[in-house]
Amino acid sequence: VEPVFPSLIKRYLETPIGSVTVKNVSPRPVENVKVSAFINGYMDFPAEMPVVAQIAAGATATVPLLITFAPSLTEVQEDLPVQVLIEVAGTVSGAVQKISRTVTTTVLRRTALVWDDTRKIAAFITPNDDTVSGFALRAASAAEAGTRQRLSARLLRALRIIDALGVYGIAYVEDPDAPITKVLGSPTAVDTVRFPRTTLANRTGDCDDTTVLLASLLEAAGIRTMVLTTPGHIFLAFDSDGGAENAALLATRDLEIVSAGGTAWIPVETTVLKDGFMAAWKAASSLVRKHRSAGGLGTFAFRDMGTAFPSMPLKPSSITVAE
């Protein structure tokens, strides 16, 4: 049984946590083999796997463990060993036979992430969190306060939010236990990604923390975002409110645009937000320019990622953010 990652649950439906191999050691076939699993405290009812019609004498069958979790799993803040009760039942010559085993696994903290699939980062982007959406909407409202600009309303809104976050102040602090430079792309290393409301409250974070924070703020204000990756690094881009054919109008010698899905996206380096929007755009442009030609630039639109890995449903927060 593999460790369980609360942040990777797809709406709590059929999360694979391993498999059970059943061997028929009797001289007669076993029919209607049913496997169920239950984790006390983190499931409402035992999960029943698809029925195996028959296992011949001496044969084996492997059944995947697909678990439906209760929302309580998302409250785990530290790695926690748990026991999984596995029961197997089958019919032999008309008589029902049952056997059960208990195995131990670990429920990892809700901030745990393995970077084998970059799309998993979408689980930490939470635009509907009250703390996040409140900050974003208050910052964006300044863009509508009597200003007359040649920029589109959506682009101006994005600039206001980014500059407001820079003035608010988020210090860059790399995760000492698992720096992303060493874990991005690793199928085994466990990273920690903090939720946006926590990063807002602490005013510190590494590149993945600040990326999910800015993505959450912009998405809360109706601005589409896209996660960008280069070897050992992650940052963000947002919809410029213009088609890809307009990219040349925004780009300069120092400023790059990422064209994807028919849209011109403005890249932003989230670790230098304190220096303002233009500095963050310029820093991100250097990364785009360096890695795009070498094929090392990854692009992941949030709304595409969210289909596979939806935002984790968090309980309402008591965190107070003082802008």
Side-chain angles (χ1 to χ4, degrees):
V1 179
E2 300 296 330
V4 177
F5 291 79
S7 62
L8 308 186
I9 301 167
K10 185 176 180 180
R11 300 194 176 103
Y12 310 110
L13 298 178
E14 296 188 342
T15 301
I17 67 166
S19 61
V20 173
T21 298
V22 182
K23 183 176 181 179
N24 178 11
V25 297
S26 76
R28 291 166 291 181
V30 181
E31 299 176 333
N32 297 321
V33 178
K34 301 177 182 179
V35 177
S36 67
F38 182 70
I39 303 176
N40 188 37
Y42 297 101
M43 297 174 62
D44 294 326
F45 304 98
E48 296 184 354
M49 311 308 137
V51 175
V52 178
Q54 185 183 85
I55 303 177
T60 61
T62 299
V63 179
L65 286 178
L66 302 174
I67 303 298
T68 301
F69 287 100
S72 57
L73 193 71
T74 65
E75 300 172 21
V76 177
Q77 298 191 44
E78 297 290 346
D79 297 354
L80 178 69
V82 297
Q83 290 186 316
V84 185
L85 175 63
I86 299 172
E87 294 186 336
V88 180
T91 303
V92 181
S93 300
V96 176
Q97 305 284 342
K98 293 183 178 181
I99 190 171
S100 65
R101 291 286 185 272
T102 300
V103 297
T104 301
T105 188
T106 300
V107 173
L108 297 181
R109 60 197 181 277
R110 64 182 185 179
T111 56
L113 176 66
V114 169
W115 287 101
D116 58 333
D117 186 341
T118 301
R119 297 178 304 162
K120 293 176 180 178
I121 196 68
F124 295 89
I125 299 175
T126 56
N128 294 318
D129 182 279
D130 288 342
T131 302
V132 170
S133 60
F135 185 102
L137 296 178
R138 287 191 295 274
S141 65
E144 314 296 335
T147 58
R148 298 179 61 186
Q149 300 285 346
R150 299 177 68 179
L151 301 175
S152 70
R154 188 183 304 167
L155 179 54
L156 183 59
R157 206 181 312 146
L159 306 193
R160 293 288 191 183
I161 291 173
I162 293 171
D163 273 339
L165 190 59
V167 172
Y168 174 73
I170 301 290
Y172 173 71
V173 178
E174 188 175 52
D175 187 341
D177 296 324
I180 196 169
T181 53
K182 296 182 179 180
V183 301
L184 184 60
S186 170
T188 56
V190 179
D191 192 13
T192 294
V193 182
R194 294 169 182 83
F195 288 100
R197 66 191 188 189
T198 303
T199 303
L200 268 180
N202 294 338
R203 301 192 188 217
T204 60
D206 62 6
C207 61
D208 48 43
D209 300 330
T210 54
T211 293
V212 299
L213 170 59
L214 182 55
S216 300
L217 292 170
L218 294 177
E219 290 284 346
I223 301 163
R224 293 191 302 159
T225 60
M226 181 168 64
V227 169
L228 304 179
T229 60
T230 58
H233 189 55
I234 184 170
F235 55 116
L236 195 70
F238 68 89
D239 183 354
S240 68
D241 203 15
E245 68 277 5
N246 296 324
L249 301 177
L250 291 170
T252 68
R253 184 178 64 179
D254 296 325
L255 302 175
E256 295 285 340
I257 294 294
V258 177
S259 297
T263 298
W265 304 80
I266 295 178
V268 180
E269 173 52 67
T270 60
T271 62
V272 296
L273 293 174
K274 61 181 176 55
D275 297 326
F277 165 71
M278 293 303 295
W281 185 3
K282 186 175 180 180
S285 296
S286 296
L287 292 170
V288 171
R289 192 178 306 114
K290 176 180 178 181
H291 295 282
R292 181 164 50 193
S293 58
L297 182 68
T299 59
F300 305 88
F302 166 64
R303 300 190 187 182
D304 293 337
M305 296 190 295
T307 301
F309 301 100
S311 302
M312 193 150 90
L314 300 175
K315 283 191 172 183
S317 172
S318 60
I319 292 176
T320 299
V321 173
E323 292 113 353

